[in-house]
Amino acid sequence: MAVRPMPVTYYSLCIWLLLVSSWSTAAVDGGIPTTLEGPFKPVTVPLDKRFRGQAVDLPESDRRVQRTVSGFEPEQISVSLSSKYDSVWISWITGEYQIGENISPLDPETVASVVYYGIAKSGRRHRVIGSSLIYSQLYPFEGLQNYSSGIIHHVRLRGLKPNTLYYYKCGDPSIAMSGLYYFYTMPVSGPKSYPSRVAVVGDLGLTYNTTSTVNHLLANHPDLILLVGDVSYANLYLTNGTGADCYSCKFPETPIHETYQPRWDYWGRFMQPLVSKVPIMVIEGNHEMEEQAENRTFAAYSSRFAFPSKESGSSSKLYYSFNAGGIHFIMLGAYIAYDESSDQYKWLEKDLASVNRDVTPWLVATWHPPWYSTYTAHYREAECMRVAMEDLLYDYGVDIVFNGHVHAYERSNRVYNYTLDQCGPVHIAVGDGGNREKMAITHADEPGNCPEPSSTPDQFMGGFCALNFTSGPAAGKFCWDRQPDYSAYRESSFGHGILEVKNETHALWIWHRNQDMYRIAGDIIYVVRQPDVCPIKGYKSQT
């Protein structure tokens, strides 16, 4: 599999070569385990108290979050994928946000949305016009400040060649254009065609831990980034900019759960050096809900990012799908209806049935709250979603599930309905990106840590599905009294993961801790598909 050329420094190139060399040697020597050797005996890595990082938000005075453009010059530039390789979205913001009691929203019609792009460095061979919008965060309470965004632009580029370097500029040519940026398109979908590296990160936030995570991620030169929910954590702040690690603890008397929207702009500026070049695909977390007047939710999330919802047949930006080479990604919404009568469930069933596993052998699903986490934090919180959707994902042979929400790392053995199953997905929680709410460090199976069942309702969907286990080693109990068999590896540390799909059956998963050098893997394993052993609903080989 070819590795795309990337502009790198001599130092980072040396590190990268060492990294590839060490993993390749381990693979040849049989040093990297595979899921075929599982199920593995559960492992818990003791908490390393010497390194907790800095779970402190970057201040607005930090140069990395400050506005460096003037007037209507583009900023917060990002790239995201459409449903197939031949199309991408370019997004950016022009104009300054407004926050205060009396605001006057900008008019999106006054600034054009134009992208020049091409294979040549001038980036001016093709010209595409897109659309623009603004959104507001409004509160009908005295003393709460309202917010109106800058003008958000989304432009879709079509007819692109696979696995190709494109240069682009964005803006309004009559007012101001950006500098020159670049991105690589995804490889064409096929059983032997994959992006070299897919970075997976969750619960990122904008702390000093975040900066460490992003620096480590950059050193691994990903082709694509999956952000599995909880982006800016703007809702840990009042509208006057006062923040807290725990909003409900610090501000119990606020008339509505406020949110300080400029944190979104800070996050967009900080991330631009990365996501203006590497496509980022985001799914919503609970911190993106951001309730405001008239029960409006997810306004910032839905406005700031471009999603291939329509391209993938979805009627909502809260769930969608896309292809990246021979991988079909399904991005599900845990904070929108998901039961069998819901639009999301019906869409998911249709999407799964349409996947041709001869073209995209790998099926990867993501959503925010994990179904198989053994940490006390958020324990079995998403049980209603699991009950509603697990059979469907199992029947269609989902290979890997990525989640966030729990601020730690955990990888499962192959599991289905809390039982070890060689045809179940591997569930991986990577909610350890670096947010200010700090790490999860206690486990529900430890003495005195098992939550009361009454404390685990699905507060967002209004359900209650988490009951005592009825079979297995934990029968009659709400928690295991030891690390569950389905939990293969867990560790409390900040970091990110890299997925490298090698062929139709083997994918290398590496989790990196922030405190390690880039070439050291905190957790590493080959996830191996067995299509001959695990039948897929409705699947008939076309070859």
Side-chain angles (χ1 to χ4, degrees), residues 60 100 110 117 123 149 230 241 271 302 335 352 358 403 424 430 450 499:
E60 61 181 14
T110 61
Y117 71 98
S149 72
D230 284 1
M271 293 294 289
S302 298
Y335 306 104
L352 288 168
D358 289 327
N403 306 115
V430 284
C450 184
L499 179 69

Side-chain angles (χ1 to χ4, degrees), residues 18-330:
L18 284 169
L19 185 68
V20 172
S21 174
S22 64
W23 289 339
S24 298
T25 301
V28 170
D29 294 342
I32 298 178
T34 77
T35 52
L36 295 179
E37 302 165 41
F40 298 96
K41 183 178 179 180
V43 171
T44 298
V45 176
L47 178 66
D48 184 354
K49 297 182 179 180
R50 296 171 301 171
F51 182 85
R52 294 297 297 277
Q54 288 185 286
V56 177
D57 276 337
L58 297 184
E60 61 181 14
S61 59
D62 191 292
R63 59 178 178 78
R64 292 168 290 186
V65 305
Q66 291 179 340
R67 192 169 190 259
T68 58
V69 301
S70 60
F72 288 92
E73 294 180 47
E75 66 160 346
Q76 303 181 49
I77 301 168
S78 66
V79 182
S80 56
L81 300 180
S82 186
S83 57
K84 298 179 181 179
Y85 73 86
D86 60 355
S87 178
V88 306
W89 289 90
I90 307 295
S91 304
W92 70 95
I93 295 180
T94 56
E96 295 190 57
Y97 68 77
Q98 299 173 61
I99 186 165
E101 294 185 3
N102 298 304
I103 57 176
S104 180
L106 298 173
D107 182 1
E109 299 296 324
T110 61
V111 182
S113 307
V114 177
V115 172
Y116 292 110
Y117 71 98
I119 296 175
K121 268 199 170 183
S122 65
R124 292 184 66 89
R125 183 176 178 183
H126 305 285
R127 181 178 186 266
V128 182
I129 299 174
S131 60
S132 60
L133 72 154
I134 64 161
Y135 77 92
S136 298
Q137 192 85 16
L138 304 175
Y139 300 105
F141 299 101
E142 184 178 351
L144 273 63
Q145 300 187 79
N146 294 322
Y147 171 94
S148 181
S149 72
I151 300 172
I152 302 170
H153 306 261
H154 299 301
V155 178
R156 186 182 175 192
L157 314 186
R158 308 171 192 244
L160 305 177
K161 298 178 181 179
N163 214 29
T164 300
L165 172 65
Y166 282 89
Y167 294 91
Y168 72 95
K169 295 180 179 181
C170 59
D172 183 334
S174 67
I175 300 176
M177 296 293 292
S178 72
L180 188 65
Y181 294 88
Y182 66 86
F183 64 87
Y184 284 93
T185 51
M186 290 292 105
V188 65
S189 291
K192 300 185 184 300
S193 178
Y194 300 97
S196 297
R197 292 180 186 81
V198 179
V200 187
V201 64
D203 302 69
L204 198 55
L206 191 57
T207 69
Y208 290 99
N209 280 322
T210 307
T211 66
S212 177
T213 300
V214 171
N215 287 340
H216 278 69
L217 190 154
L218 272 166
N220 283 320
H221 305 301
D223 300 307
L224 172 64
I225 301 166
L226 297 183
L227 178 47
V228 294
D230 284 1
V231 182
S232 73
Y233 287 83
N235 72 338
L236 291 184
Y237 284 79
L238 301 180
T239 61
N240 64 9
T242 302
D245 296 343
C246 173
Y247 183 101
S248 59
C249 307
K250 186 71 178 291
F251 314 120
E253 304 301 324
T254 52
I256 193 172
H257 191 130
E258 303 173 40
T259 176
Y260 186 61
Q261 288 297 295
R263 297 298 305 183
W264 276 102
D265 295 284
Y266 302 164
W267 191 89
R269 292 166 188 159
F270 174 80
M271 293 294 289
Q272 177 178 303
L274 174 60
V275 298
S276 61
K277 303 176 181 69
V278 182
I280 183 169
M281 304 303 287
V282 182
I283 196 65
E284 81 279 2
N286 56 298
H287 283 273
E288 277 70 71
M289 188 169 292
E290 297 186 308
E291 306 95 329
Q292 56 172 305
E294 299 179 353
N295 297 317
R296 190 181 181 193
T297 55
F298 299 108
Y301 164 86
S302 298
S303 302
R304 290 176 178 269
F305 298 102
F307 305 93
S309 299
K310 291 183 179 179
E311 300 100 282
S312 61
S314 170
S315 61
S316 172
K317 295 179 179 180
L318 302 181
Y319 56 89
Y320 59 93
S321 67
F322 66 96
N323 289 342
I327 313 170
H328 185 71
F329 287 98
I330 299 172

